[in-house]
Amino acid sequence: MAKLYVVGIGPGSREELTLRADRALQSCRVVVGYHVYTDLVREWYADKEFHTTGMTRESERCRAALALAAEGEDVALVCSGDSGIYGMAALVYELRGESDTPEVEVVPGLTAACSGGALLGAPLTRDFAVVSLSDRLTPWEAIEKRLTAAAEADLTLVLYNPASHGRPEHLRRACDVLLRTLPAERICGLVRNIGRAGEKRQLLTLGELRDTEVDMFCTVFIGCSATAVTGGALITSRGYRDV
Amino acid sequence: MAKLYVVGIGPGSREELTLRADRALQSCRVVVGYHVYTDLVREWYADKEFHTTGMTRESERCRAALALAAEGEDVALVCSGDSGIYGMAALVYELRGESDTPEVEVVPGLTAACSGGALLGAPLTRDFAVVSLSDRLTPWEAIEKRLTAAAEADLTLVLYNPASHGRPEHLRRACDVLLRTLPAERICGLVRNIGRAGEKRQLLTLGELRDTEVDMFCTVFIGCSATAVTGGALITSRGYRDV
């Protein structure tokens, strides 16, 4: 019986794959995905057959993967980061509906909250929220409401998709919303191209972040009240009393 | 120059290690950690020297790891899940202070939001918050405030440490707080012993969750308004319009 693996490949370096994701990819003959991610995977598993689709063609991509598995191929549908967190796994289940074929296995991967946090230090030692600034499928008002709720509840924030094609100003708008609740001196971190060529990390204040240019390969961390820079690392103290 | 790796080992099966975490562990002679996690790692890397500490001895554990690295040993300090998310990485940086020795490398791992979500299906396709129900270092009032803020902003919630020794009733108290905002029919998921012996998944309503027994090896998912059960999987629809 053929199987569709929905594989989170992590931030983009082969080293950040789990052993399970590596094994799943090795076991498949066909790999399906958005071309930016299949291009990465192609370097690591050159013997596979690749089916690539463009950006925003999510349903087409998942239908193609399901159809190939239905024809008897073991297929890996690859997602950046985790395959569940803003990934394709839910859409695969939606399109498969109440059928139990083909068999689906969701293989988790390192999401940018984990990999980007590690690059900066350890900003997520307390409660946090993950919010995407893409308003393609979510009304901007809902995004604003979530940002404000997180800031008021003193959650550290991780912002995914801080900018995308045609929406370069989303991060500035989000910072303006947060600055109604948080001080301009609040410590933040920015990571770019985690695990890939051009990897960069930056520590800055919320006020500075507002005027920083970002692209779709950036992830942003907004500290909570316990976040600070220590020894060059962005850390949120858990509050152990014997430090 | 010796190095201290703060390694997230994921949920508990060797398969869920990243290739980088595996390499870091192989490269060290000494492994430090809480005995539940060093016991797991010992099965995979039997040739290492193990230093284990008891629960709640976090500072002692990090100081021991830093001291060994300062003596010239390459050391792996192991954490379950991710090494940053409620992990030891921040405490290591705090204890090292403004010194730049020993060198510290934070090696991220799969946190339960990723691994537990994959076991249930794909509940984290929209914005979400991660909240620990442990009030050892956080006042219970702050936890209640975060739960309410997340529910009001329609964030999916992932609850870590839903119960611990001496605090079996925390999940019930949290559910009672959430039931002021969310309907008792809200779809939830519970995972136990992810990737280990005794692994279990359960789909249930928030009303049912309130009366469910949990332990410190459980992670709880509270769906948002877009969460449903499809084909046996807990999924949050991203809202693609061509499904």
Side-chain angles (χ1 to χ4, degrees), chain B residues 60-96:
Chain B
E60 178 185 322
R61 197 178 306 146
C62 293
R63 280 187 221 276
L66 283 163
L68 284 158
E71 286 165 19
E73 295 280 7
D74 283 327
V75 180
L77 172 62
V78 292
C79 307
S80 71
D82 182 51
S83 45
I85 295 178
Y86 306 108
M88 295 291 100
L91 185 52
V92 164
Y93 280 117
E94 280 181 273
L95 291 169
R96 196 185 62 163

Short mmCIF file of all heavy atoms in Angstrom, two decimals, chain B residues 60-96:
data_model
loop_
_atom_site.label_atom_id
_atom_site.label_comp_id
_atom_site.label_asym_id
_atom_site.label_seq_id
_atom_site.Cartn_x
_atom_site.Cartn_y
_atom_site.Cartn_z
N GLU B 60 21.71 23.46 38.97
CA GLU B 60 22.79 22.50 39.26
C GLU B 60 23.24 21.79 37.97
O GLU B 60 24.43 21.61 37.71
CB GLU B 60 22.25 21.50 40.28
CG GLU B 60 23.20 20.41 40.69
CD GLU B 60 22.50 19.39 41.61
OE1 GLU B 60 21.69 19.80 42.46
OE2 GLU B 60 22.77 18.18 41.43
N ARG B 61 22.24 21.39 37.18
CA ARG B 61 22.51 20.68 35.93
C ARG B 61 23.30 21.56 34.96
O ARG B 61 24.29 21.14 34.37
CB ARG B 61 21.15 20.31 35.32
CG ARG B 61 21.17 19.26 34.26
CD ARG B 61 19.73 18.98 33.81
NE ARG B 61 18.87 18.64 34.94
CZ ARG B 61 17.57 18.96 35.02
NH1 ARG B 61 16.97 19.61 34.04
NH2 ARG B 61 16.87 18.63 36.09
N CYS B 62 22.86 22.81 34.80
CA CYS B 62 23.53 23.71 33.86
C CYS B 62 24.92 24.09 34.36
O CYS B 62 25.87 24.17 33.57
CB CYS B 62 22.70 24.98 33.65
SG CYS B 62 21.14 24.66 32.81
N ARG B 63 25.07 24.30 35.66
CA ARG B 63 26.39 24.61 36.22
C ARG B 63 27.35 23.45 36.00
O ARG B 63 28.52 23.64 35.66
CB ARG B 63 26.29 24.89 37.72
CG ARG B 63 25.81 26.28 38.08
CD ARG B 63 25.90 26.50 39.61
NE ARG B 63 24.74 27.21 40.12
CZ ARG B 63 24.59 28.53 40.10
NH1 ARG B 63 25.52 29.28 39.59
NH2 ARG B 63 23.49 29.09 40.57
N ALA B 64 26.86 22.23 36.19
CA ALA B 64 27.71 21.05 35.99
C ALA B 64 28.18 20.97 34.54
O ALA B 64 29.35 20.71 34.26
CB ALA B 64 26.95 19.77 36.38
N ALA B 65 27.28 21.23 33.63
CA ALA B 65 27.63 21.16 32.20
C ALA B 65 28.64 22.25 31.85
O ALA B 65 29.62 22.00 31.13
CB ALA B 65 26.36 21.30 31.34
N LEU B 66 28.41 23.47 32.35
CA LEU B 66 29.35 24.57 32.08
C LEU B 66 30.72 24.27 32.67
O LEU B 66 31.76 24.54 32.05
CB LEU B 66 28.80 25.88 32.66
CG LEU B 66 27.69 26.56 31.85
CD1 LEU B 66 26.93 27.58 32.71
CD2 LEU B 66 28.25 27.25 30.60
N ALA B 67 30.74 23.70 33.88
CA ALA B 67 32.02 23.40 34.54
C ALA B 67 32.80 22.34 33.76
O ALA B 67 34.01 22.46 33.57
CB ALA B 67 31.77 22.94 35.97
N LEU B 68 32.11 21.31 33.28
CA LEU B 68 32.79 20.27 32.50
C LEU B 68 33.36 20.85 31.22
O LEU B 68 34.48 20.51 30.82
CB LEU B 68 31.81 19.13 32.19
CG LEU B 68 31.51 18.20 33.36
CD1 LEU B 68 30.18 17.47 33.15
CD2 LEU B 68 32.64 17.17 33.51
N ALA B 69 32.61 21.71 30.56
CA ALA B 69 33.10 22.33 29.32
C ALA B 69 34.30 23.24 29.64
O ALA B 69 35.27 23.29 28.87
CB ALA B 69 31.99 23.10 28.62
N ALA B 70 34.22 23.94 30.76
CA ALA B 70 35.34 24.82 31.14
C ALA B 70 36.60 24.01 31.40
O ALA B 70 37.72 24.50 31.21
CB ALA B 70 34.97 25.64 32.38
N GLU B 71 36.44 22.75 31.81
CA GLU B 71 37.60 21.86 32.03
C GLU B 71 38.13 21.26 30.73
O GLU B 71 39.09 20.49 30.75
CB GLU B 71 37.20 20.71 32.97
CG GLU B 71 37.05 21.13 34.42
CD GLU B 71 36.31 20.08 35.23
OE1 GLU B 71 36.22 18.91 34.79
OE2 GLU B 71 35.78 20.44 36.31
N GLY B 72 37.46 21.56 29.62
CA GLY B 72 37.98 21.10 28.33
C GLY B 72 37.22 19.94 27.71
O GLY B 72 37.63 19.42 26.67
N GLU B 73 36.11 19.54 28.31
CA GLU B 73 35.31 18.45 27.74
C GLU B 73 34.27 19.01 26.76
O GLU B 73 33.63 20.02 27.06
CB GLU B 73 34.50 17.74 28.84
CG GLU B 73 35.32 17.03 29.87
CD GLU B 73 35.81 15.66 29.40
OE1 GLU B 73 35.61 15.32 28.21
OE2 GLU B 73 36.40 14.96 30.22
N ASP B 74 34.07 18.35 25.62
CA ASP B 74 32.89 18.64 24.81
C ASP B 74 31.70 17.97 25.51
O ASP B 74 31.73 16.76 25.76
CB ASP B 74 33.04 18.09 23.39
CG ASP B 74 33.96 18.97 22.54
OD1 ASP B 74 33.97 20.20 22.75
OD2 ASP B 74 34.67 18.42 21.68
N VAL B 75 30.69 18.76 25.80
CA VAL B 75 29.57 18.29 26.62
C VAL B 75 28.26 18.50 25.88
O VAL B 75 28.06 19.54 25.24
CB VAL B 75 29.51 19.08 27.95
CG1 VAL B 75 28.35 18.59 28.81
CG2 VAL B 75 30.81 18.98 28.71
N ALA B 76 27.36 17.52 26.00
CA ALA B 76 26.00 17.70 25.51
C ALA B 76 25.07 17.75 26.73
O ALA B 76 25.02 16.80 27.51
CB ALA B 76 25.59 16.56 24.58
N LEU B 77 24.38 18.88 26.88
CA LEU B 77 23.33 18.99 27.89
C LEU B 77 22.03 18.70 27.17
O LEU B 77 21.66 19.44 26.25
CB LEU B 77 23.34 20.40 28.49
CG LEU B 77 22.20 20.76 29.44
CD1 LEU B 77 22.18 19.88 30.67
CD2 LEU B 77 22.32 22.24 29.86
N VAL B 78 21.35 17.62 27.55
CA VAL B 78 20.16 17.22 26.78
C VAL B 78 18.87 17.70 27.46
O VAL B 78 18.74 17.72 28.67
CB VAL B 78 20.10 15.69 26.57
CG1 VAL B 78 21.22 15.24 25.64
CG2 VAL B 78 20.13 14.91 27.88
N CYS B 79 17.94 18.14 26.60
CA CYS B 79 16.62 18.59 27.02
C CYS B 79 15.60 17.82 26.19
O CYS B 79 15.85 17.54 25.02
CB CYS B 79 16.43 20.07 26.70
SG CYS B 79 17.72 21.16 27.32
N SER B 80 14.45 17.53 26.76
CA SER B 80 13.39 16.92 25.95
C SER B 80 12.81 17.98 25.04
O SER B 80 12.86 19.17 25.33
CB SER B 80 12.31 16.32 26.84
OG SER B 80 11.57 17.35 27.46
N GLY B 81 12.26 17.55 23.92
CA GLY B 81 11.68 18.50 22.98
C GLY B 81 12.73 19.41 22.40
O GLY B 81 13.78 18.98 21.94
N ASP B 82 12.45 20.70 22.43
CA ASP B 82 13.40 21.72 21.97
C ASP B 82 14.24 22.17 23.17
O ASP B 82 13.75 22.18 24.30
CB ASP B 82 12.62 22.90 21.37
CG ASP B 82 13.53 23.98 20.82
OD1 ASP B 82 14.43 23.66 20.04
OD2 ASP B 82 13.33 25.15 21.17
N SER B 83 15.49 22.57 22.91
CA SER B 83 16.35 23.00 24.02
C SER B 83 16.07 24.44 24.43
O SER B 83 16.53 24.89 25.48
CB SER B 83 17.81 22.84 23.63
OG SER B 83 18.04 23.33 22.32
N GLY B 84 15.31 25.17 23.59
CA GLY B 84 14.97 26.54 23.94
C GLY B 84 13.59 26.65 24.57
O GLY B 84 13.41 27.35 25.56
N ILE B 85 12.61 25.99 24.00
CA ILE B 85 11.22 26.13 24.44
C ILE B 85 11.05 25.47 25.82
O ILE B 85 11.03 24.24 25.91
CB ILE B 85 10.26 25.57 23.36
CG1 ILE B 85 10.39 26.44 22.10
CG2 ILE B 85 8.83 25.52 23.87
CD1 ILE B 85 9.56 26.02 20.92
N TYR B 86 10.95 26.29 26.84
CA TYR B 86 10.93 25.84 28.24
C TYR B 86 12.16 24.98 28.58
O TYR B 86 12.13 24.21 29.55
CB TYR B 86 9.65 25.08 28.60
CG TYR B 86 8.37 25.82 28.29
CD1 TYR B 86 7.55 25.44 27.23
CD2 TYR B 86 7.97 26.91 29.05
CE1 TYR B 86 6.39 26.12 26.93
CE2 TYR B 86 6.80 27.59 28.76
CZ TYR B 86 6.01 27.20 27.70
OH TYR B 86 4.86 27.88 27.41
N GLY B 87 13.21 25.09 27.80
CA GLY B 87 14.38 24.24 27.98
C GLY B 87 15.50 24.94 28.75
O GLY B 87 15.30 26.00 29.35
N MET B 88 16.67 24.35 28.71
CA MET B 88 17.79 24.81 29.54
C MET B 88 18.66 25.87 28.88
O MET B 88 19.56 26.43 29.53
CB MET B 88 18.68 23.61 29.91
CG MET B 88 18.03 22.55 30.81
SD MET B 88 17.74 23.16 32.49
CE MET B 88 16.00 23.57 32.38
N ALA B 89 18.45 26.16 27.59
CA ALA B 89 19.38 27.03 26.87
C ALA B 89 19.47 28.42 27.50
O ALA B 89 20.57 28.97 27.66
CB ALA B 89 18.99 27.13 25.40
N ALA B 90 18.34 29.01 27.88
CA ALA B 90 18.38 30.36 28.46
C ALA B 90 19.15 30.36 29.77
O ALA B 90 19.97 31.25 30.03
CB ALA B 90 16.96 30.90 28.67
N LEU B 91 18.92 29.33 30.58
CA LEU B 91 19.60 29.26 31.88
C LEU B 91 21.11 29.10 31.71
O LEU B 91 21.90 29.69 32.46
CB LEU B 91 19.01 28.10 32.69
CG LEU B 91 19.47 27.92 34.12
CD1 LEU B 91 19.35 29.20 34.94
CD2 LEU B 91 18.67 26.79 34.80
N VAL B 92 21.53 28.34 30.71
CA VAL B 92 22.96 28.22 30.42
C VAL B 92 23.55 29.59 30.09
O VAL B 92 24.60 29.98 30.63
CB VAL B 92 23.19 27.23 29.25
CG1 VAL B 92 24.60 27.36 28.67
CG2 VAL B 92 22.95 25.80 29.73
N TYR B 93 22.89 30.35 29.24
CA TYR B 93 23.38 31.69 28.91
C TYR B 93 23.39 32.59 30.14
O TYR B 93 24.31 33.37 30.35
CB TYR B 93 22.53 32.32 27.81
CG TYR B 93 22.86 31.86 26.41
CD1 TYR B 93 21.92 31.18 25.64
CD2 TYR B 93 24.10 32.12 25.83
CE1 TYR B 93 22.20 30.76 24.34
CE2 TYR B 93 24.40 31.71 24.53
CZ TYR B 93 23.44 31.03 23.79
OH TYR B 93 23.74 30.64 22.52
N GLU B 94 22.32 32.51 30.96
CA GLU B 94 22.27 33.35 32.17
C GLU B 94 23.44 33.05 33.09
O GLU B 94 24.07 33.95 33.63
CB GLU B 94 20.96 33.08 32.94
CG GLU B 94 19.76 33.79 32.39
CD GLU B 94 18.52 33.47 33.24
OE1 GLU B 94 17.87 32.45 32.95
OE2 GLU B 94 18.23 34.23 34.17
N LEU B 95 23.72 31.75 33.28
CA LEU B 95 24.78 31.36 34.21
C LEU B 95 26.17 31.69 33.64
O LEU B 95 27.09 31.99 34.38
CB LEU B 95 24.68 29.87 34.55
CG LEU B 95 23.46 29.50 35.40
CD1 LEU B 95 23.29 27.98 35.46
CD2 LEU B 95 23.57 30.06 36.82
N ARG B 96 26.32 31.66 32.31
CA ARG B 96 27.60 32.02 31.70
C ARG B 96 27.80 33.54 31.76
O ARG B 96 28.93 34.03 31.78
CB ARG B 96 27.65 31.52 30.25
CG ARG B 96 29.06 31.51 29.69
CD ARG B 96 29.09 31.13 28.22
NE ARG B 96 28.37 32.09 27.38
CZ ARG B 96 28.51 32.19 26.06
NH1 ARG B 96 29.32 31.35 25.42
NH2 ARG B 96 27.83 33.08 25.37
#
